[in-house]
Structures are given as structure tokens and as C-alpha cells.
Amino acid sequence: MTSIKTACLAVGDAQIYKVKATLADLHVAADDLSAGDLSDFHSMQTGRDPAEVFPKAIDETTHAIKFGSRVLAVGGHAGGGIWFVTTNVVTELSKAERYRFYRILKSHLEDIKRGNSSGVALTNYVAVSNRAHVRLLEVLGATFQADHAMSPAGFPFKQFWL
């Protein structure tokens, strides 16, 4: 696991860093999901509220990436079901800050893979329409199913593996 010291990159007066997520971090993320991730959430299954779903996802694998004191992203990978969502804070990042965010995310993924001694597949689904998330997954080395599956809400999703 990458230490806070190595996962922390200075950005002006603020830092981008990874920490163990708290319930408060999940609530903040649920209340400020980026447009693409909020659309994904509702496209998967209708009638859900992120503020009710996200707190149930906290476990030993759940981390937050923060920009100063602000939640930039949260995610986890219990049982191989890898997930990651961003908040609207991501839209405020400069190109250099986005790159620093990506480097922390990539380093965290490498840590997860190194710690995956059981060889459990890291997988999930992403909405075909969430182009920003699909591009990020591609850069992180994801492979995707050839076709797509329809979500319970009736939208096309692709399964991916990291």
C-alpha cells in the first residue's frame, strides 16, 4: 500500500493525496458526484439515492483522493468489484492537477494489483455514454467486453477488467 507520504503531491497551496475513506467522505461524494458518474449511477438502476448507497460501500478497501480538504474521488475493490467515482471537484483541476490525480489513481491501482495474491479479477461495468470514465479506464489498462449489456434501467453498459 502506498503511504500517504508517497501518495501526496503538492499542487499550489493544496495537495492531492489518497487516504482511507470515512463515512463523511462517502456522503460528500454522494452529494457532489460528477455529471458523468451521476448519470452512470442512475443509468444502472432507477430509484436509488447515492446518499443511501455509498455509505454501504465502506470497507477496508475504500479510499478517497482529496484535493486539499475536498473530496475529489472515492472508490474500493472488495471481492474484486472495483469501483471509483469522482466529484465535481475534478472539473476545477488544471491539466497538471489532473495528471497528478491520475498518477495517484494509477499508483493505487498498482498497489491493489500487487496485493491481489488470490488472483481475483478486478471488474465492474461502465456506461457506454460515460466517455470520460471509459477513456480513463482505457489509460489505466482496462480491457472491455466486445459487446454491451443492458442495465436494469435499460441503458448500455460494458463490463471491464483491470
Side-chain angles (χ1 to χ4, degrees), residues 7-160:
C8 184
L9 296 165
V11 181
D13 291 338
Q15 294 181 347
I16 297 177
Y17 58 98
K18 178 186 80 174
V19 295
K20 182 80 176 88
T22 65
L23 278 173
D25 294 331
L26 292 173
H27 282 290
V28 167
D31 290 340
D32 193 30
L33 277 181
S34 65
D37 289 341
L38 183 59
S39 177
D40 256 22
F41 184 84
H42 291 303
S43 295
M44 177 54 79
Q45 184 178 334
T46 58
R48 297 184 307 160
D49 179 356
E52 292 177 10
V53 173
F54 285 12
K56 295 175 187 173
I58 196 160
D59 63 23
E60 67 281 351
T61 71
T62 312
H63 285 81
I65 297 176
K66 294 191 171 184
F67 180 55
S69 62
R70 301 171 68 199
V71 175
L72 183 56
V74 293
H77 62 278
I82 196 161
W83 65 278
F84 171 83
V85 295
T86 58
T87 67
N88 285 308
V89 175
V90 78
T91 64
E92 300 171 21
L93 299 179
S94 68
K95 189 172 185 176
E97 291 163 344
R98 283 179 187 254
Y99 182 70
R100 289 180 180 107
F101 170 53
Y102 163 77
R103 286 183 27 212
I104 290 174
L105 186 58
K106 185 164 179 66
S107 174
H108 182 64
L109 179 59
E110 290 167 1
D111 290 343
I112 291 168
K113 288 179 175 181
R114 273 193 299 278
N116 187 8
S117 59
S118 64
V120 153
L122 299 172
T123 186
N124 206 332
Y125 291 83
V126 62
V128 172
S129 63
N130 190 345
R131 298 201 191 287
H133 210 127
V134 170
R135 279 192 310 271
L136 177 60
L137 289 166
E138 288 171 341
V139 171
L140 290 171
T143 57
F144 297 85
Q145 75 183 83
D147 54 357
H148 64 268
M150 297 305 282
S151 71
F155 293 90
F157 276 70
K158 282 194 175 274
Q159 186 170 12
F160 66 88

